[in-house]
Amino acid sequence: MLSYSHEVFFEVATHLSFSKAAEILYISQPAITKHIQSLEKHYKISLFERKGNTVSLTSEGKILLEYVVKGRELQRQLEFDISIQKDLQLAKGSFTLGTSTTISLYVIPPVFSAFHQQYPNIDLKLVNRNSENILKALLDHEIDLAITEGRNTITSVKYQFFLTDEVIPVCSAKSSLVKKKNISPEELITIPVALRERGSGTLSAVTEALQKCKISIADLQHKIVLGGTEALKNFLLDDTCLGFLPLRSVARQLKNGELVRLSIPGLTIHRSFYFMQRRGSETDRINQLFIKLANNHYNKKL
């Protein structure tokens, strides 16, 4: 079994930051340093090179990281397989899911709740980042499973369809845009627009749909860029410009009249969400339990 010092090493090596590891593990930075020094003394090697404020792995550190990654996955599978011998609901282990903003805020909470009720001894963790960074976290073994918008061409990742979402143009009920029955694609480029940040799955979906109307993001009057669905939604509630948001994220505001859905004929924005797993981990039992439960939940709902 891996020691706690190995877990500390994994976090430092993954993030290349002693302070970030301390934040994640809820221990002090001096404690982080003590664990790393303990490993270096045990293996009689240096694991990190420190240059100013930057940290990098030594060649020996890279070797240790490879084995720690394998060891963590084996330990996780071992704990699960032993715990389910008498009853699957007694399953023990850990599960870390990485998702983009829309999924983490509006799709996963009820699924996490159902999973926890069914398997109360499995520790759950949700990592929320934009699509680009979630893919990196999966490849770096920070997370066990990911859900993001769209598919990439990376061969080391396997994709499995989950569900479809719609992104819609909206504005505040107090905006003058509400008076317009339809906004033509040509007129769209004259309207102030607030957008999500680069790397966002929502922005990618909007960009792709606009291209079909022969409009680029650069053509839009976008002087406001916000990181996160909630940030953009809250901005639009107080402003008068147009924004593109997932339908799931604004359902309540559309119902109570705070936001209004705008009509842009010819512009339809749909995107698909996929489960992502590292090649070779497709048979991971905990991942499969979660995927099955999530699919069952939304097949009933949608």
Side-chain angles (χ1 to χ4, degrees), residues 1-3 5-6 9 33-47 60 64 68:
M1 302 291 282
L2 293 174
S3 68
S5 292
H6 286 97
F9 166 75
T33 300
K34 185 176 180 180
H35 281 289
I36 297 302
Q37 290 175 341
S38 174
L39 286 178
E40 290 179 328
K41 182 178 180 181
H42 175 77
Y43 291 112
K44 297 180 175 59
I45 56 173
S46 293
L47 296 171
E60 295 87 353
L64 180 59
V68 168

Side-chain angles (χ1 to χ4, degrees), residues 50-61:
R50 301 166 181 80
K51 294 181 180 179
N53 294 325
T54 63
V55 177
S56 61
L57 283 165
T58 62
S59 57
E60 295 87 353

Side-chain angles (χ1 to χ4, degrees), residues 40-245:
E40 290 179 328
K41 182 178 180 181
H42 175 77
Y43 291 112
K44 297 180 175 59
I45 56 173
S46 293
L47 296 171
F48 297 97
E49 292 180 356
R50 301 166 181 80
K51 294 181 180 179
N53 294 325
T54 63
V55 177
S56 61
L57 283 165
T58 62
S59 57
E60 295 87 353
K62 292 177 181 177
I63 292 172
L64 180 59
L65 179 59
E66 289 181 13
Y67 279 93
V68 168
V69 166
K70 294 175 183 177
R72 291 176 86 246
E73 293 180 355
L74 285 173
Q75 184 170 300
R76 176 173 172 268
Q77 292 171 22
L78 172 63
E79 184 176 20
F80 176 82
D81 287 341
I82 288 179
S83 67
I84 63 172
Q85 291 306 301
K86 293 183 179 180
D87 187 345
L88 181 59
Q89 290 192 324
L90 297 177
K92 293 182 179 180
S94 62
F95 174 71
T96 301
L97 176 70
T99 71
S100 53
T101 306
T102 300
I103 290 289
S104 67
L105 290 175
Y106 310 107
V107 176
I108 288 305
V111 179
F112 252 41
S113 176
F115 191 85
H116 176 64
Q117 291 176 46
Q118 193 163 343
Y119 308 105
N121 296 317
I122 294 179
D123 296 330
L124 300 177
K125 182 179 179 181
L126 178 63
V127 175
N128 173 22
R129 300 174 189 170
N130 69 29
S131 299
E132 285 185 0
N133 289 325
I134 284 298
L135 176 58
K136 182 179 184 302
L138 181 69
L139 296 176
D140 288 345
H141 293 257
E142 286 184 63
I143 58 180
D144 303 307
L145 178 72
I147 304 175
T148 62
E149 301 96 317
R151 302 176 63 172
N152 206 300
T153 57
I154 297 176
T155 56
S156 57
V157 172
K158 180 180 178 181
Y159 292 85
Q160 180 178 337
F161 175 76
F162 178 27
L163 53 80
T164 299
D165 189 33
E166 184 179 8
V167 178
I168 62 171
V170 296
C171 70
S172 167
K174 63 186 178 184
S175 172
S176 61
L177 295 172
V178 173
K179 300 176 183 178
K180 295 180 178 292
K181 291 185 177 180
N182 294 304
I183 298 172
S184 68
E186 294 76 21
E187 189 179 8
L188 179 62
I189 64 176
T190 69
I191 296 172
V193 177
L195 296 173
R196 283 287 307 277
E197 81 286 4
R198 184 178 180 181
S200 154
T202 300
L203 180 63
S204 297
V206 172
T207 300
E208 185 176 341
L210 287 174
Q211 287 174 345
K212 294 178 181 178
C213 296
K214 297 182 180 180
I215 298 174
S216 74
I217 289 293
D219 295 328
L220 301 180
Q221 292 189 31
H222 64 287
K223 294 185 178 180
I224 303 293
V225 175
L226 295 105
T229 299
E230 285 296 299
L232 177 54
K233 180 171 69 175
N234 289 330
F235 172 81
L236 291 173
L237 285 168
D238 283 327
D239 201 77
T240 58
C241 68
L242 179 151
F244 294 95
L245 283 167

